[in-house]
């Protein structure tokens, strides 16, 4: 049997499959054994209590969904008391995802959540930066650097930084995250989108715009994982539209060390288990002894792809 273990920085995971933040809840234990997953990533929490975005918060689209849930939060005390404990009962590393309004708030929040029972922190810097008119931190290398550096100064815990596919020059953003001290990159969050109800003529989301997820965004996320892989040396966790073992293999070939599954679990709560089983079967059938050998092994005409990457970076 192939070895499915992968490493993300100092962490060893039993396999590369984990949920994407916000697309998973403890109730999934009824659909699958949570001790089978590579890691458990919890819905983002923010330090301050907040209500989340106006309703309606979700809309269906072709091959995906739009959401503008926001980060409803009851604050850290409630999170530590009520949300975290059921996850830490499993023999699976727990990843706490954090959103914050400013770089300094990110630093303080990550320090507070650097608990012994938390294996790593995922900083969702795709959320609005209140010091930059609400533009997400991860849209620009400068604001990415500032947030990541503030986190690195305040914790020794492993931390991953979740980037946004809405950024223009993703390679520059990834490099800023690496230089500022992130242990890994999660690429990435949802693609900004919009839908209109033609009868009421109103936007289908209360927040007007929202994040597109699901199979519709897979080629975009895959391309960005590859661009990040070519730009940095820290591990990359691929996310965006993954719904099958074949998709997961594609992300690993593009450069991901592990993958996160979001929207696919809404349609099939056992999707992640099927992906793990499919990865085992793929490795066994194709004679791959260790799944980590897939990372970055897409076969490229190097000259052609270097030229293309330069063009992609210039055209942003
Ligand atoms: C309903 C919903 C809620 C989400 N909440 C969060 C969140 O709290 N934090 C976060 O970093 N990403 C959040 N995301 C983004 C996902 O983690 C993931 O990056 C995105 O959906 C792309 O993956 P997918 O196509 O597999 O769903 C959310 C996505 C959805 C659909």
């Amino acid at each position: 049997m192939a070895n499915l273990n992968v490493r993300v920085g100092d962490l060893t995971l039993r396999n590369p499959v984990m949920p994407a933040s916000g697309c998973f809840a403890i109730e999934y234990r009824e659909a699958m054994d949570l001790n089978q997953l590579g890691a458990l990533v919890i819905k983002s929490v923010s330090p301050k209590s907040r209500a989340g975005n106006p309703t309606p918060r979700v809309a269906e689209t072709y091959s995906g969904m739009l959401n503008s849930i926001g980060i409803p939060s009851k604050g850290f005390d409630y999170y530590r008391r009520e949300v975290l404990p059921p996850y830490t009962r499993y023999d699976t590393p727990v990843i706490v995802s954090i959103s914050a309004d400013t770089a300094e708030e990110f630093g303080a929040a990550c320090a507070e959540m650097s608990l012994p029972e938390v294996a790593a922190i995922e900083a969702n810097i795709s959320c609005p930066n209140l010091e930059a008119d609400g533009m997400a931190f991860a849209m620009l290398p400068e604001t990415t650097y500032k947030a990541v550096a503030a986190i690195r100064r305040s914790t020794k815990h492993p931390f991953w930084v979740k980037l946004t596919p809405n950024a223009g020059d993703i390679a520059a953003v990834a490099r800023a995250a690496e230089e500022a001290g992130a242990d890994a990159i999660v690429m990435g969050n949802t693609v900004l989108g919009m839908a209109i109800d033609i009868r009421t003529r109103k936007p289908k989301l209360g927040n007007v715009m929202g994040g597109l997820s699901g199979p519709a965004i897979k080629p975009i996320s895959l391309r960005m994982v590859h661009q990040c892989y070519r730009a940095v040396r820290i591990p990359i966790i691929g996310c965006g539209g993954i719904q099958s073992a074949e998709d997961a293999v594609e992300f690993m070939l593009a450069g991901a060390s592990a993958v996160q599954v979001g929207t696919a679990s809404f349609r099939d709560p056992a999707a992640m288990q099927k992906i793990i089983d499919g990865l085992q079967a793929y490795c066994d059938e194709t004679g791959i002894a260790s799944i980590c050998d897939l990372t970055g092994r897409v076969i490229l005409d190097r000259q052609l792809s270097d030229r293309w990457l330069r063009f992609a970076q210039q055209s942003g």
Side-chain angles (χ1 to χ4, degrees):
M1 286 253 282
N3 178 0
L4 293 192
N5 287 1
V6 294
R7 283 180 71 83
V8 177
D10 289 340
L11 276 184
T12 300
L13 311 181
R14 65 169 68 88
N15 65 59
V17 182
M18 66 187 90
S21 177
C23 303
F24 179 77
I26 194 67
E27 287 73 21
Y28 275 73
R29 65 188 164 200
E30 277 150 44
M32 68 172 296
D33 174 5
L34 303 189
N35 281 327
Q36 298 292 317
L37 288 168
L40 298 171
V41 186
I42 312 176
K43 165 93 185 152
S44 297
V45 60
S46 66
K48 288 186 214 122
S49 241
R50 55 184 179 202
N53 288 330
T55 56
R57 290 175 173 177
V58 291
E60 271 191 56
T61 66
Y62 301 121
S63 308
M65 64 182 276
L66 277 169
N67 93 81
S68 64
I69 308 271
I71 314 288
S73 175
K74 294 185 180 168
F76 276 2
D77 285 344
Y78 177 86
Y79 186 85
R80 285 178 70 164
R81 213 178 46 243
E82 303 291 335
V83 180
L84 192 53
Y87 291 94
T88 57
R89 280 185 208 126
Y90 292 88
D91 183 27
T92 304
V94 171
I95 317 298
V96 166
S97 167
I98 292 179
S99 286
D101 293 340
T102 64
E104 288 317 311
E105 193 179 281
F106 253 120
C110 292
E112 204 177 329
M113 278 295 158
S114 297
L115 305 165
E117 65 270 37
V118 173
I121 289 169
E122 183 176 289
N124 174 18
I125 66 162
S126 314
C127 66
N129 174 3
L130 293 195
E131 290 168 326
D133 263 349
M135 183 174 66
F137 294 89
M139 288 295 282
L140 296 173
E142 299 75 27
T143 39
T144 296
Y145 188 93
K146 203 172 162 201
V148 173
I151 298 169
R152 188 71 294 168
R153 276 197 302 274
S154 51
T155 182
K156 291 195 165 43
H157 240 59
F159 94 88
W160 308 346
V161 63
K162 186 163 176 183
L163 303 186
T164 171
N166 301 315
D169 188 348
I170 196 64
V173 172
R175 274 194 293 270
E178 180 177 51
E179 278 162 26
D183 293 304
I185 283 171
V186 181
M187 185 71 244
N189 217 303
T190 50
V191 176
L192 196 61
M194 181 173 172
I196 298 172
D197 181 327
I198 58 163
R199 289 180 213 291
T200 62
R201 299 194 180 187
K202 288 185 178 163
K204 286 190 179 171
L205 293 175
N207 207 36
V208 183
M209 293 173 213
L212 179 63
S213 63
I217 67 167
K218 195 193 103 181
I220 301 171
S221 326
L222 187 77
R223 182 260 296 175
M224 290 187 143
V225 163
H226 187 62
Q227 283 178 294
C228 290
Y229 180 72
R230 302 284 291 268
V232 299
R233 301 177 74 90
I234 51 176
I236 296 152
I237 299 160
C239 176
I242 297 171
Q243 54 174 1
S244 66
E246 289 76 10
D247 292 340
V249 170
E250 252 187 281
F251 272 78
M252 292 189 77
L253 291 171
S257 297
V259 293
Q260 296 188 344
V261 179
T263 306
S265 295
F266 293 141
R267 196 181 312 147
D268 176 4
M272 286 185 286
Q273 182 64 64
K274 290 177 188 160
I275 293 174
I276 296 165
D277 296 344
L279 287 176
Q280 187 78 62
Y282 171 82
C283 290
D284 292 341
E285 279 158 25
T286 53
I288 291 160
S290 184
I291 198 163
C292 59
D293 290 340
L294 289 176
T295 298
R297 295 297 167 88
V298 58
I299 298 171
L300 300 167
D301 174 332
R302 200 68 187 206
Q303 259 186 331
L304 201 67
S305 76
D306 282 349
R307 193 158 10 109
W308 177 83
L309 271 177
R310 272 199 303 280
F311 168 74
Q313 276 155 27
Q314 280 158 18
S315 60

